Amino acid sequence: MRIKREHLTILLNRLADRGDARFAVEHPSDELGELLTVDLGGSDDATIEFSSGVEKYATAREEIGRQYPERVYEDLPAVDEYLKAILASGIVDIANRDEVETFLNRYGDPDLMAGHPPAFAGFDTNLMPWRIDRVLGLHGGDSVGDVNGFVLATGVRDELTWDDKCHDTDPFVEAFGPVYEEYWNQPLGSARIGRLGLLTYRRIRDIEQAVEVQSEQGDEEIIAAYDEYDRDYRSDILLFSNDRNFVERARAHRLLGQRVDFPDQLPDKTTATWRDVELLLYMLAIVFGVVELPSVTVYGVWRGKDELDWQHERVELDARSPKLDEKLVGDLSIVESYEELKE
Amino acid sequence: MERVWITNGSTSVAPVVNPLAAACHDEFVPTDIYVLNNPVIADVTDAATSLMKTVVTAHGGSEPSITVETIADERDFQAIIEYLKTALEASTDAAASVAIDVTPGRKFWSIISFRAGFEYDVDHLYYTHVDGEYFGESFPTIPRPAIELIDFTEVF
C-alpha cells in the first residue's frame, strides 16, 4: 500500500501493538544489514541508536563496491549522504550550529519598521535535498533570526534535475534479492537525492511563496542572480551553502554568505519524536531505495511510482504478514476518509 | 450480540470519531450508533457519521445502523435526557452491550450522559484523552502513547 510520509505513525502504532516497539531498520543486504535501531517509547521520546556507526557502514559499502563495482555500488548512498539523510530528519544537528545561529542573530529578523531591508534566505544546490530550511529553523515562530522570505534561483532547480533510471534490475536482484525488481524504471542513487532537493525547492516556492529568480546553472550564474535581486529590491540575501568556494564567491558579491557544515559522525544514540521517526524512515527509504522493518518492507521507490507519489512524499509498504497488512489497510482507509472530509 | 455506541456530535470530527476508533481497536465494535446533534453542527455530524461507518467496517464490523437525534435547542435538557433514554432502553430491549462516549460535544451533554451511564449501568463509559499537540488528527496517526481510552466504569 502507498502511504504518505506524515501517516507513517500508522505503521509505528501497529508495530507497537505487535510488541515491536523496539525495532531495527535494515538494508536488505546481508553486508549492510542493520542501519539503526528505533525504540518508540513515549510519543516525544523515541530513542534512535546508531550501534553500527559510520565506519562500519563505510566498510560494508566498500565491500559491496568490490563485489558489485558499478550500478549497485553507485546506487548505495555514500557515507556523507547517509549522514545527511539522518540530519534531514532532524535528529542530529549541523556541525556548526553556533556559527549559523550567530549569523542569523546578526542578519535575520530585521526591524522593517525602522526601514531596514528585509532578509531573504537563498540556498546553494548542495543543501536542497536535506530539508535545509527546516533544519536551519528559518520558519518563524519564536526562534530568533527568522527570515522574511526566500529567494530561489532557477539554476538551483535545474542543477537538481537529472535522470538516471534503472533499466535493468538484474544486477540489483542478483546482489541484494528479489525486492529490487521494484527498481524498474525508477531513479537510482544520486537521482533520488536530486528528487529530494526538487521537492524542497518546490515546497519552498509554492508553500512559502518564495520569489523565484531566473538564472543559468553554475555557481557564478546562481550567485549573480541572487545578487541582482538583492540590488534591485534593496533586500539582504542570506546565502547558505555547504561549499566554501560558493560562500566566498557570494561574499565577493557583497552577499551575506554562510557555510553550513554537515556532521561527519553519528552519536551512539539520540532521542526523537514519532514525527521525527516518520521523517527518518522516509529519508532512509528514499536514499537507500528500500529498507526493512520487522514484518514490513518499506520502498522509497517502486515499480510505477509517479510524480504525485513524489509530491505527496509517499512510500510503499509491503507487509509480509497478512494480519498486519489487513490492519494497516483498515487504518489507512480511516485516515484517508478523514482527510477527505476535512477538505 | 449487539453492541451500542452512544455519543454526541461536536464542532469537529476528530473528537466524535477518535474515541470510536480507539474502542474498536480495543475490540468494542458497535452494531448500532446513536449521535446527539443540533442544527449548528449538522454538517460535522454528517461527516462524522460517514467516517464512523468507515471506522467500524475497517475493524471488521458490518456497517452499523446510525441514529442521529437532532434537537433544535442545544440546552433543551429534557430532549437530551429523552435521547439517552430512547437509546438506552432500545439497548436494554435488545440485550445489547452498551458504551457511552462522553468525549465530544457540549460539556453539559457529556455530564448528562455520564450520569445516565451510571443510572443504566452501561458496560463502558468512555472518555478519550489526547495529548494536545495531536488535536485534530485521526486515531491511527496519533502515537498510541499520546491517546488514552479511559473507561470510567473501571475508575469508580
Side-chain angles (χ1 to χ4, degrees):
Chain A
M1 76 207 68
R2 294 181 300 171
I3 180 170
K4 287 182 188 175
R5 185 258 303 166
E6 69 206 53
H7 294 158
L8 278 169
T9 287
I10 291 174
L11 173 61
L12 303 180
N13 277 329
R14 287 299 180 180
L15 289 175
D17 290 347
R18 288 166 65 88
D20 285 323
R22 181 184 168 82
F23 61 86
V25 180
E26 297 182 346
H27 187 265
S29 70
D30 294 338
E31 293 88 345
L32 290 175
E34 182 181 311
L35 299 169
L36 51 87
T37 307
V38 177
D39 194 332
L40 287 172
S43 55
D44 290 333
D45 58 354
T47 306
I48 318 292
E49 289 177 41
F50 304 100
S51 48
S52 317
V54 265
E55 286 81 8
K56 194 176 156 214
Y57 177 78
T59 311
R61 181 172 178 268
E62 289 313 309
E63 182 53 40
I64 289 169
R66 273 188 286 280
Q67 291 179 56
Y68 309 100
E70 287 171 17
R71 299 295 268 171
V72 172
Y73 173 71
E74 287 162 13
D75 181 67
L76 285 172
V79 174
D80 67 309
E81 289 163 340
Y82 172 41
L83 277 163
K84 285 182 232 174
I86 292 167
L87 169 104
S89 69
I91 61 173
V92 298
D93 203 3
I94 56 171
N96 61 335
R97 171 63 66 185
D98 288 349
E99 200 185 307
V100 171
E101 289 276 304
T102 305
F103 174 81
L104 279 169
N105 284 341
R106 184 158 175 202
Y107 299 112
D109 208 10
D111 188 351
L112 300 180
M113 300 302 281
H116 296 166
F120 294 110
F123 305 102
D124 188 8
T125 311
N126 52 35
L127 296 178
M128 294 307 277
W130 315 112
R131 304 175 72 86
I132 196 64
D133 53 320
R134 307 263 182 213
V135 165
L136 294 181
L138 301 176
H139 287 283
D142 45 10
S143 63
V144 285
D146 292 343
V147 291
N148 301 106
F150 296 88
V151 181
L152 296 166
T154 56
V156 168
R157 177 195 67 199
D158 297 340
E159 286 187 0
L160 291 163
T161 312
W162 73 92
D163 237 341
D164 179 16
K165 282 188 172 168
C166 181
H167 298 299
D168 178 12
T169 55
D170 288 352
F172 294 94
V173 172
E174 190 194 323
F176 301 144
V179 292
Y180 283 85
E181 279 167 12
E182 292 295 319
Y183 259 33
W184 189 77
N185 209 27
Q186 291 300 317
L188 288 171
S190 63
R192 291 198 297 275
I193 291 170
R195 283 297 187 101
L196 286 172
L198 267 183
L199 289 178
T200 307
Y201 184 97
R202 289 179 187 151
R203 177 172 50 74
I204 296 174
R205 181 189 62 195
D206 300 341
I207 298 173
E208 313 299 338
Q209 299 181 342
V211 177
E212 208 170 26
V213 292
Q214 299 299 315
S215 84
E216 297 297 314
Q217 296 184 43
D219 287 1
E220 194 51 54
E221 285 71 17
I222 288 168
I223 290 166
Y226 283 127
D227 189 14
E228 191 182 334
Y229 183 86
D230 188 277
R231 278 183 281 114
D232 288 353
Y233 293 92
R234 285 200 65 250
S235 55
D236 281 339
I237 294 191
L238 282 47
L239 209 44
F240 297 94
S241 174
N242 175 238
D243 176 2
R244 204 177 297 279
N245 289 331
F246 185 96
V247 172
E248 275 167 20
R249 279 187 182 194
R251 286 177 183 158
H253 278 258
R254 296 169 184 250
L255 291 164
L256 299 164
Q258 173 61 48
R259 190 172 134 93
V260 176
D261 289 337
F262 292 118
D264 56 7
Q265 281 299 326
L266 286 169
D268 291 341
K269 63 177 172 181
T270 180
T271 56
T273 66
W274 286 34
R275 293 287 174 264
D276 299 332
V277 177
E278 287 178 343
L279 197 42
L280 177 66
L281 290 179
Y282 171 75
M283 293 303 296
L284 292 176
I286 300 291
V287 298
F288 284 97
V290 49
V291 290
E292 290 182 337
L293 274 56
S295 307
V296 182
T297 305
V298 184
Y299 293 93
V301 290
W302 62 91
R303 194 181 282 251
K305 177 169 183 171
D306 60 23
E307 283 304 321
L308 267 183
D309 292 320
W310 280 101
Q311 194 184 317
H312 290 297
E313 299 185 309
R314 289 194 193 111
V315 297
E316 166 97 1
L317 297 185
D318 177 20
R320 305 189 296 272
S321 139
K323 251 188 178 171
L324 178 62
D325 184 62
E326 194 187 334
K327 287 179 171 161
L328 293 171
V329 168
D331 287 346
L332 202 54
S333 74
I334 296 169
V335 172
E336 287 178 350
S337 303
Y338 178 70
E339 302 226 316
E340 266 174 41
L341 289 172
K342 268 204 318 189
E343 277 164 13
Chain B
M1 186 183 165
E2 291 179 11
R3 285 170 302 277
V4 176
W5 183 263
I6 300 172
T7 188
N8 301 318
S10 171
T11 50
S12 62
V13 172
V16 184
V17 177
N18 282 343
L20 175 69
C24 286
H25 181 258
D26 279 8
E27 292 176 359
F28 188 92
V29 182
T31 52
D32 297 84
I33 294 175
Y34 291 84
V35 187
L36 181 62
N37 179 44
N38 77 50
V40 179
I41 57 169
D43 287 349
V44 180
T45 304
D46 278 349
T49 50
S50 159
L51 189 55
M52 285 170 125
K53 290 177 189 164
T54 307
V55 168
V56 170
T57 50
H59 286 84
S62 306
E63 195 157 294
S65 116
I66 299 184
T67 309
V68 175
E69 179 63 34
T70 302
I71 54 172
D73 170 12
E74 66 171 12
R75 282 189 294 181
D76 184 345
F77 299 140
Q78 279 314 314
I80 298 166
I81 292 166
E82 205 50 45
Y83 154 73
L84 287 162
K85 266 190 166 172
T86 308
L88 286 160
E89 281 162 11
S91 310
T92 311
D93 291 346
S97 171
V98 181
I100 290 185
D101 177 24
V102 302
T103 315
R106 301 302 299 253
K107 210 169 273 177
F108 50 87
W109 290 8
S110 299
I111 291 166
I112 296 170
S113 45
F114 195 87
R115 166 77 193 262
F118 277 104
E119 203 138 298
Y120 280 78
D121 194 22
V122 295
D123 302 273
H124 305 284
L125 193 44
Y126 284 128
Y127 174 72
T128 307
H129 184 77
V130 183
D131 282 3
E133 66 183 294
Y134 299 101
F135 281 169
E137 293 199 35
S138 73
F139 177 75
T141 60
I142 299 172
R144 291 275 192 269
I147 180 163
E148 188 186 0
L149 181 70
I150 299 159
D151 187 347
F152 274 103
T153 63
E154 292 169 5
V155 173
F156 279 88

